[in-house]
Amino acid sequence: MALMDSLFNNAQVLLGGFHKPEVLKPNDEGLQNQIAYLESHPSRENNQKLAGLKKGVEGEKNVLFQLKNSGIGMYILHGIHINDTAGGDDAQIDFVVVTRGYVYLIECKNWSGNWKIRKDGTLLIKNGKESFSRESPITQNQRHMEILKQRWRQKSGKVANVLFSSQFEKNWYKPLVVVSNYESILDLKDATKYDREHIVRADQLPAFIKKDLKTYAGREPFSTKKEMRAVADGFLKAEKEYQEKHAQEKAQRRKMSRPKSVYEYEQSKRKFQSNLRNFCKRQAQLEGKTPSGILTNQDIHIIMLHNYSDPNELEKVPISQAKKEKYGKVIIAAYNDAFRNSF
């Protein structure tokens, strides 16, 4: 029975039977949550952010329409987050599209104006009389690829790393930027071959993918529908892992921001201060300085006024940038040690 299923799946893909796109994840829940929050908290700043997000949503709808009506056998996942298994960087991918050839990591850009990609890879946007340069989203998407590749390396064995690492982008995964504003003109005449192969207008996306698939000429790495679904399920699993991790971090921040009692809170503050002073003594011996040469009493006082359950809080502390970079991780660790068991 398994053999028959395999033959049937192969026939579906290779003979063109699997030609109806299937949407496994229809929307980006994170993006919708951001929009709902901004709509419920109106302000000048939030209204500007809201307008930008809604423009992005409009562009993603254009891309989803093209994918759903492409007539290509594919699995579509809208809004996928991945992080490497070491808990480091994460990537937010607008669309993951699994075909029998490449798995496309699509970054959508609904920017106003015409695009020109230069020889050096930089992007020039011309909107009316105004022209300005900005970082190419191809570069941004390459960072997403590196995070995905790092995750694959961490989950694969040493032998697989040696044998298949070079095939990751060449034959398996492809970052792709889609210009989702139908009014934009895309000028690629000066672009490098790499850039031309990794950026396309939304209305040309189905033809672009079909041309890519023809280059495989029957040597598709994901040749059966079952194999394609397994790859898609892997991304859904990564999304679930990300959401669970995010929920745990959010719950921890919420827990750490609400003391059970004033007494426990004061006890934690004293422990936080003690942790910092003990660190200064130890570090002073290592650096041949006095403890105040590490962090002054004023530094410690200022540091203790902030809640480091928010990862961005350290940037708000008015001590020297050099001290933040050198001792920032220790400050956060001292805070977590003091407050972890008190809330």
Side-chain angles (χ1 to χ4, degrees), residues 116-131:
K116 180 180 178 62
I117 306 294
R118 297 167 168 150
K119 291 181 181 179
D120 61 0
T122 57
L123 169 64
L124 179 68
I125 298 287
K126 186 173 183 180
N127 188 6
K129 295 182 180 180
E130 294 184 348
S131 297

Side-chain angles (χ1 to χ4, degrees), residues 41-151:
H41 295 78
S43 69
R44 183 176 180 179
E45 182 181 359
N46 284 354
N47 291 344
Q48 290 177 340
K49 291 180 181 178
L50 182 61
L53 288 178
K54 286 187 173 180
K55 188 173 178 64
V57 168
E58 179 186 357
E60 291 181 15
K61 284 182 179 179
N62 292 341
V63 173
L64 184 59
F65 175 83
Q66 295 293 337
L67 291 171
K68 290 171 67 176
N69 292 277
S70 64
I72 303 170
M74 61 172 64
Y75 289 113
I76 303 167
L77 297 85
H78 185 189
I80 291 292
H81 300 78
I82 57 173
N83 54 263
D84 62 43
T85 55
D89 295 332
D90 59 68
Q92 179 179 348
I93 306 172
D94 293 336
F95 288 95
V96 173
V97 178
V98 182
T99 71
R100 68 176 186 266
Y102 286 113
V103 176
Y104 294 94
L105 310 180
I106 293 179
E107 178 73 20
C108 305
K109 293 300 180 186
N110 189 18
W111 292 336
S112 299
N114 297 326
W115 294 44
K116 180 180 178 62
I117 306 294
R118 297 167 168 150
K119 291 181 181 179
D120 61 0
T122 57
L123 169 64
L124 179 68
I125 298 287
K126 186 173 183 180
N127 188 6
K129 295 182 180 180
E130 294 184 348
S131 297
F132 54 92
S133 297
R134 63 191 311 167
E135 181 189 29
S136 171
I138 294 175
T139 303
Q140 176 186 353
N141 221 9
Q142 285 172 333
R143 290 196 290 267
H144 294 170
M145 173 70 79
E146 286 304 313
I147 292 172
L148 178 61
K149 190 172 184 178
Q150 182 64 24
R151 179 184 174 88

Side-chain angles (χ1 to χ4, degrees), residues 117-122 136 138 142 188 191-200:
I117 306 294
R118 297 167 168 150
K119 291 181 181 179
D120 61 0
T122 57
S136 171
I138 294 175
Q142 285 172 333
L188 296 174
T192 64
K193 183 176 183 292
Y194 181 90
D195 287 347
R196 289 196 302 271
E197 292 175 348
H198 291 80
I199 186 168
V200 64

